[in-house]
Amino acid sequence: MTSGEFGARAGGGKRIGDGTRAVRAGLPEPVKHEPALPGPVFAAHFHLPGEPTGGYAYGRDENPTWTHLERAVSELEAPGQDGVETLAFASGMAAVSAVVFSQLRAGDAVVLPGDGYQALPLLREQLTAYGIEVRTAPTAGDAQLEVLDGADLLWIETPSNPGLDVCDVRRLAAAAHAQGALVAVDNTLATPLGQRPLELGADFTVASGTKMLTGHGDLLLGYVTGHDADRMAAVRRWRKIAGAIPGPMEAWLAHRSLATLQLRADRQTANALALAEALRDRPDVVTAVRYPGLHGDPSYEIASKQMERYGCVVSFSLPARARAERFLDALRLVDDATSFGGVRSTAERRRRWGGDAVPEGFIRLSAGIEDPQDLVADVLRALDESAQVTDS
Ligand SMILES: *Cc1c(COP(=O)(O)O)cnc(C)c1O
């Protein structure tokens, strides 16, 4: 059995479980006296006598440590699918930019979510400067469908960050393809164990590996996975031009972290749901609790059809900026920090960045792997303590 075959099936043709897949993803054939996951290869160039005939030559083009990681991500994003390719990048934004700038030309039109990742407005400015028309519409209600006419690329982010709205990827992808548009899905929040956009009809799945995919808050990484060889060749070419490549150490750490992805994702998902339920039970102070896996959430119905895990991010609002700041201050097990997806819980008042269109008291909370009862108790205590203004 090659490692690639392990991506999908164990003996008897039965699809193997996510935990098994994650722990074996991308591992090379075992070699006597060699480690299971070969260490990072630090090399700017490789021995290359005579004619360059493919293989590793220069470190901006290819690196064996990336190759292992890229195979692993392909096995997670598209188990059992042939011809799928993944390219690793220095960050999520490097991956996003690689798809957008390699696939679009002046005169093209792209549909972005109006409520997506906070760097999308910067991307929009750059695209517009290059003569590419940018349209936006909200993620909720599949509203991007309404501005799709004549577009060349549809960019989907579901669940959206930080509002946690969800759209129907199958429906949007079918509509986009019917009129010749490509479809890319930002899969950062869900991770490939939460949803697999290529199976839902997308041409590209793109993500930041900085968040829950690697989960320890100690590296930045991005990737693009796709199944069209020509399209992926253009993405590869862009990586060579822009040079936004991951370091071997980051790529190796990321691959090592994938082994625990299912454990982390299951625990973080369960913790997020426990927190969402506890917060919903405090309508005296908490409003607009959002979690795609919460029964009754506006995202739940579609999310439950296309997601297997709902991610670790919960959002909610406190009555005012000061109350939200006191709440964050009072938390002991949840660090006040940006980003999400790490093993240690974090939360932040999103408006401090100015970008997202959310209320002053809007909190984005990322559930870590702490014990659920400790986490819920800490959040409820901080909610109560934040009611009183203290001098300390
Ligand atoms: C963080 C994030 C990105 C950007 O990833 P970086 O690794 O920070 O460059 C893109 N999309 C979403 C949804 C994100 O949360």
Side-chain angles (χ1 to χ4, degrees), residues 91-94 96 117 157 161 186 188-189 208-211 220-221 340:
S91 67
M93 281 314 294
V96 170
Y117 182 60
E157 187 180 311
N161 168 22
D186 185 327
T188 302
L189 204 143
S208 168
T210 312
K211 317 288 171 53
L220 280 96
L221 191 93
F340 60 85

Side-chain angles (χ1 to χ4, degrees), residues 23-44:
V23 82
R24 304 223 42 114
L27 296 184
E29 283 297 308
V31 175
K32 192 172 181 181
H33 306 308
E34 293 292 329
L37 177 63
V41 175
F42 296 100

